[in-house]
Amino acid sequence: MVTTYFSYNYIAHNLKQSLTRVEQQPDVAREAAYYKANIGKVKTVDDLMKDYRLYHYATKAYGLEDMAYAKAFMKKVLESNLSDPTSFVNKLVDKRYREFAAAFSFTGGAKPVAQSENQTDEMIGLYTATKNSQVDALASDSTYYSTEIGNISSADQLLNNDRLRNYVYSAFGLDESKWPRDTISQVLRSDPSDPNSYVNTTFASQLSGLNAQLAQAQSDVSAANQKIADYTAQLSQPGADVPQLNVQILVEKYHLDSYSKNVSSLNDQIGTIGRFVDLAGAFEFSSDGSLPSGVSAQTAANITITKQKFDASKAAVYDAATPLNEALAITHFRAAVLKVNSVQAFVSTPDVYNFALGAVGLDPATASQATIKAVLESDLNDPKSFVYTLKDDRYVKLARDFNFDAKGNLTTPLVAQDSSDVLDIAKSYVIAALRDASPQQQKAVREQAQKDATSYQEAVADIGSVSDLLANRKVIDFILVAKGLDPKKVSTEFLKKIFSSDLSNPKSFANTQSDPRFAEIAGTFNFNSKGDVARLPMLGPQKGDHFRETQANYLQQSLEQQQGDTNPGVRLALYFQRKAGEITSAYDILADRALSEVFRTTFDLPDSMAAMPIDQQAKFVDRFMKIKDLSDPAKVEKLLNRFSAMYDIRNSESTGQAQSPLLSLFQGSGSGISDSTFLAIAKLQSR
């Protein structure tokens, strides 16, 4: 019979080949193909559980096959909120359940949404910053105007200065697109007190006629309203000709609409003339556009009036930036964006449309909805897509903060790393930091690690490409530490090759590394073939990396089960090797029966030890093992070599089998195996 010691070492040193052989087995290949073909059809937890083959494939992949029967329990696991420390799955001691739940996105995670929580928070921050920036810009414009207006010597010089001209147009409510510059220049040269000046002969002279027309139009509106009221009252009278009255009401409503539009148009014309007269009176230019000697373009009083008019014209900007209105807009946006399920819904929801456009600095009143739709349906990974033809970063920002496909339907967020993966890496980092800390250092180390984790979460949100990621060595080192790797031993050039690998190709650079953690790191990020951030790929309830993880886990579980059918000790060793990096304390070992058995066997401790109080057991674990050593693959291998040899001793003794010459080396005191003896065995195996 082949010993546990040699069987485990053979499998451990030829793991990829062993997994490939398992993968090629007809039954394993058949189940993997079925899972790949059907998991994308799953929409709910019930869908998964109703399909026996999918459900059992998934539970086996995460070592929970023996719990597959407990569907009510497993449903609660899958429906748990992983970000809530009080949720059902987070209260379970066995970490396998959390790993199982994290592999699926039935609650939260990478679902098609108009905005992720991070995107919503980013847009709110952008909205606040934009509103404050707009107020600051207005203050800057007023300061500039006050400083420069004294240097103006002619009407043309004023109009040729874009910043001053725009300030004046805003202050006096003039639409530059409707009035030629020459007209405005003539107004600036006018003297409102001179009846023969341009502003009076061309505009003010019309006021009498316009006011008369306005009075008539207002009278017509009143008459139409009265007729509508009279006809409406007659409808309820006995013998009323209802059809005829309804026709007359419709005719008067048509007249009312026409008269109302006329009133509005006349008011606009009269208002414009008044603004022209005010504009002419606010400046001191002569009829030729020059200034009399020693005279400024505006008096101090008129400068003050102009600034007041400018501020009044920007009242909406100031109002939007007030804390109360800003808080109200944010509250309405948060509630409304959750209901947006398409681009059409986006443009049809004012609380979302106005807020989002305002956040990126676009004016909802003038922006074309057709343009906004095309922007939101653009492919940000295609440099030829519509959004980039506009040559305006504001539109790109808008498209990045929402998730719609080319048909205007919801899709997954455009993020470098899903929030669940960010959270897992952050937690792993904190655990790794605490692993090397003494009891006295624990509190300070934890606080600093949590600050580092927060910084990581913020930094990942700004990553737009592989280049961005690799350029941020602080982020890279954080990830490596979280994965139990030494940043000093991993070069940026090496990681560049890892991230350029095709993870679906078993022969790619990342997949051929002896340490699978590098492929795992690349798998948690979401870059396209060009290295740019892409939409999170989903297969039903699973992200791409979780799908690959599930299939890899299934192979590993199949290998361990098959080895266990021949020799349970080999299965125990392979299981411990797989879980070692996740062990953070003695209690992690004691909470897992398989890990506990490996520990007791390795150090020749009696099974009756399991009946001791848990704290006493933990002291034994800490006495015999250094938990931090379990993050070192070489030290784990040494420990498992010792376990496999001890397993053979225990089982040969319990079954009465004759010992091999190799195992006779371990006979002697009952205290366990000495390091020198263990070294001798290791040397024998290497020959």
Side-chain angles (χ1 to χ4, degrees):
M1 176 181 177
V2 179
T3 65
T4 305
Y5 180 85
F6 286 112
S7 294
Y8 162 70
N9 271 277
Y10 178 80
I11 296 294
H13 289 98
N14 299 277
L15 187 58
K16 286 186 179 295
Q17 296 91 320
S18 299
L19 289 171
T20 299
R21 284 195 296 272
V22 172
E23 184 180 21
Q24 294 171 347
Q25 293 170 0
D27 57 334
V28 174
R30 184 170 54 250
E31 293 307 303
Y34 182 85
Y35 189 84
K36 182 177 182 179
N38 292 280
I39 191 62
K41 303 173 185 177
V42 171
K43 305 298 181 185
T44 66
V45 174
D46 288 335
D47 290 344
L48 176 64
M49 291 186 164
K50 286 176 183 176
D51 190 316
Y52 176 87
R53 292 174 70 181
L54 287 180
Y55 177 56
H56 279 262
Y57 186 98
T59 53
K60 179 177 178 178
Y62 291 90
L64 297 170
E65 193 173 14
D66 60 338
M67 287 296 293
Y69 75 92
K71 289 190 174 181
F73 177 88
M74 297 300 281
K75 185 174 183 178
K76 290 176 71 175
V77 168
L78 289 170
E79 291 179 343
S80 293
N81 182 356
L82 295 176
S83 62
D84 179 3
T86 65
S87 66
F88 180 76
V89 74
N90 283 328
K91 290 182 178 180
L92 299 176
V93 175
D94 194 331
K95 294 181 180 179
R96 292 177 300 171
Y97 294 108
R98 192 182 189 286
E99 292 170 358
F100 181 55
F104 297 89
S105 299
F106 290 115
T107 58
K111 285 184 176 181
V113 288
Q115 280 192 320
S116 66
E117 289 184 11
N118 285 341
Q119 286 174 309
T120 297
D121 289 342
E122 181 179 327
M123 174 141 284
I124 289 171
L126 189 60
Y127 180 86
T128 298
T130 298
K131 294 306 173 187
N132 291 338
S133 176
Q134 288 173 343
V135 169
D136 291 342
L138 296 183
S140 175
D141 286 342
S142 287
T143 299
Y144 178 83
Y145 186 83
S146 297
T147 302
E148 294 298 321
I149 193 63
N151 299 324
I152 294 299
S153 59
S154 70
D156 286 340
Q157 186 183 4
L158 171 65
L159 294 176
N160 286 333
N161 184 314
D162 292 344
R163 196 169 177 183
L164 292 180
R165 183 183 70 252
N166 291 336
Y167 191 92
V168 169
Y169 273 52
S170 292
F172 290 90
L174 303 177
D175 186 345
E176 187 171 8
S177 65
K178 292 181 179 180
W179 297 102
R181 182 179 296 191
D182 182 61
T183 297
I184 305 302
S185 179
Q186 292 287 347
V187 170
L188 287 169
R189 301 173 187 184
S190 299
D191 180 357
S193 63
D194 179 1
N196 295 318
S197 67
Y198 176 81
V199 72
N200 284 323
T201 57
T202 307
F203 296 106
S205 60
Q206 302 178 36
L207 283 175
S208 179
L210 290 173
N211 282 322
Q213 294 177 46
L214 177 60
Q216 181 59 53
Q218 290 171 332
S219 176
D220 291 340
V221 167
S222 297
N225 277 321
Q226 185 60 52
K227 288 180 180 180
I228 291 171
D230 291 343
Y231 292 143
T232 302
Q234 293 176 39
L235 286 172
S236 60
Q237 295 178 2
D241 187 347
V242 174
Q244 180 60 30
L245 287 170
N246 281 329
V247 169
Q248 289 174 312
I249 289 172
L250 288 174
V251 169
E252 290 306 320
K253 284 185 175 180
Y254 173 79
H255 289 159
L256 177 63
D257 182 61
S258 177
Y259 299 150
S260 296
K261 288 179 179 177
N262 196 22
V263 168
S264 177
S265 174
L266 289 166
N267 277 324
D268 286 344
Q269 292 179 59
I270 292 169
T272 298
I273 291 173
R275 290 191 287 273
F276 279 153
V277 172
D278 288 344
L279 176 64
F283 290 87
E284 306 299 320
F285 298 113
S286 300
S287 59
D288 63 357
S290 65
L291 285 171
S293 178
V295 175
S296 296
Q298 280 188 304
T299 63
N302 277 332
I303 291 176
T304 299
I305 291 172
T306 301
K307 291 175 68 176
Q308 290 173 344
K309 286 179 175 291
F310 177 80
D311 286 341
S313 73
K314 302 298 182 181
V317 176
Y318 288 114
D319 286 345
T322 62
L324 179 61
N325 286 334
E326 184 179 300
L328 192 62
I330 290 172
T331 299
H332 288 169
F333 174 73
R334 280 193 182 279
V337 77
L338 296 175
K339 301 175 184 177
V340 171
N341 56 13
S342 66
V343 167
Q344 183 57 45
F346 173 89
V347 300
S348 304
T349 309
D351 284 339
V352 174
Y353 185 81
N354 295 339
F355 187 95
L357 267 63
V360 298
L362 294 169
D363 185 353
T366 59
S368 162
Q369 285 198 1
T371 298
I372 298 302
K373 285 183 177 180
V375 163
L376 293 173
E377 293 170 359
S378 295
D379 181 358
L380 289 169
N381 288 321
D382 180 3
K384 296 181 181 179
S385 66
F386 177 78
V387 67
Y388 294 118
T389 65
L390 300 176
K391 308 295 184 183
D392 190 329
D393 284 343
R394 294 176 298 175
Y395 292 103
V396 177
K397 287 180 182 178
L398 182 66
R400 283 191 176 279
D401 274 332
F402 287 90
N403 310 309
F404 300 106
D405 62 19
K407 296 181 179 179
N409 298 318
L410 297 182
T411 186
T412 51
L414 187 73
V415 292
Q417 198 172 46
D418 183 42
S419 58
S420 63
D421 289 319
V422 172
L423 186 62
D424 283 342
I425 286 180
K427 285 184 175 180
S428 296
Y429 177 86
V430 174
I431 290 170
L434 290 172
R435 187 178 284 134
D436 294 333
S438 66
Q440 296 79 14
Q441 297 173 324
Q442 290 270 328
K443 182 179 179 180
V445 170
R446 180 185 294 277
E447 290 177 354
Q448 183 58 50
Q450 289 173 338
K451 288 180 181 179
D452 293 342
T454 300
S455 297
Y456 173 75
Q457 291 170 307
E458 294 171 352
V460 167
D462 295 328
I463 291 174
S465 65
V466 172
S467 298
D468 289 345
L469 175 63
L470 296 180
N472 193 331
R473 190 66 202 195
K474 186 176 181 180
V475 168
I476 288 294
D477 290 352
F478 183 97
I479 298 168
L480 294 173
V481 170
K483 283 292 185 178
L485 296 163
D486 184 353
K488 295 178 182 178
K489 297 180 180 179
V490 183
S491 70
T492 301
E493 194 60 35
F494 173 81
L495 289 173
K496 185 176 181 180
K497 294 179 181 179
I498 291 292
F499 278 100
S500 64
S501 298
D502 179 2
L503 296 180
S504 63
N505 180 2
K507 296 182 180 180
S508 66
F509 182 79
N511 287 327
T512 54
Q513 297 304 302
S514 58
D515 193 329
R517 288 176 290 183
F518 293 110
E520 291 173 5
I521 290 172
T524 66
F525 282 89
N526 189 49
F527 300 113
N528 60 20
S529 58
K530 296 179 180 178
D532 296 320
V533 168
R535 300 288 178 193
L536 288 167
M538 296 291 294
L539 283 171
Q542 287 194 300
K543 295 196 293 97
D545 61 319
H546 286 155
F547 168 76
R548 291 190 295 270
E549 177 187 87
T550 300
Q551 291 218 310
N553 286 350
Y554 184 85
L555 286 181
Q556 182 73 34
Q557 289 285 347
S558 298
L559 171 64
E560 291 176 14
Q561 285 185 6
Q562 291 174 18
Q563 290 299 315
D565 291 341
T566 303
N567 187 330
V570 176
R571 182 178 186 179
L572 285 169
L574 291 172
Y575 177 77
F576 192 98
Q577 181 186 45
R578 175 161 58 88
K579 305 296 287 185
E582 302 171 19
I583 297 172
T584 60
S585 72
Y587 296 99
D588 289 340
I589 295 175
L590 298 174
D592 188 310
R593 286 182 297 177
L595 298 180
S596 296
E597 184 175 346
V598 171
F599 166 70
R600 291 194 302 271
T601 301
T602 301
F603 298 102
D604 197 20
L605 298 170
D607 290 339
S608 59
M609 172 185 164
M612 296 169 58
I614 192 70
D615 290 342
Q616 290 186 30
Q617 293 184 58
K619 290 179 181 178
F620 270 98
V621 174
D622 290 333
R623 183 192 306 173
F624 283 91
M625 297 175 65
K626 291 182 179 180
I627 297 300
K628 67 178 183 179
D629 287 349
L630 298 181
S631 61
D632 185 336
K635 292 180 179 179
V636 171
E637 181 181 7
K638 181 178 179 180
L639 182 146
L640 291 175
N641 278 337
R642 178 169 182 164
F643 159 77
S644 56
M646 281 302 303
Y647 184 87
D648 283 333
I649 292 175
R650 279 194 170 192
N651 284 276
S652 64
E653 288 176 349
S654 62
T655 59
Q657 295 176 355
Q659 292 181 2
S660 69
L662 176 64
L663 295 182
S664 66
L665 291 173
F666 294 93
Q667 292 182 342
S669 70
S671 61
I673 308 172
S674 69
D675 288 341
S676 59
T677 305
F678 177 79
L679 181 59
I681 296 175
K683 288 182 177 178
L684 282 173
Q685 189 241 351
S686 64
R687 290 179 182 175

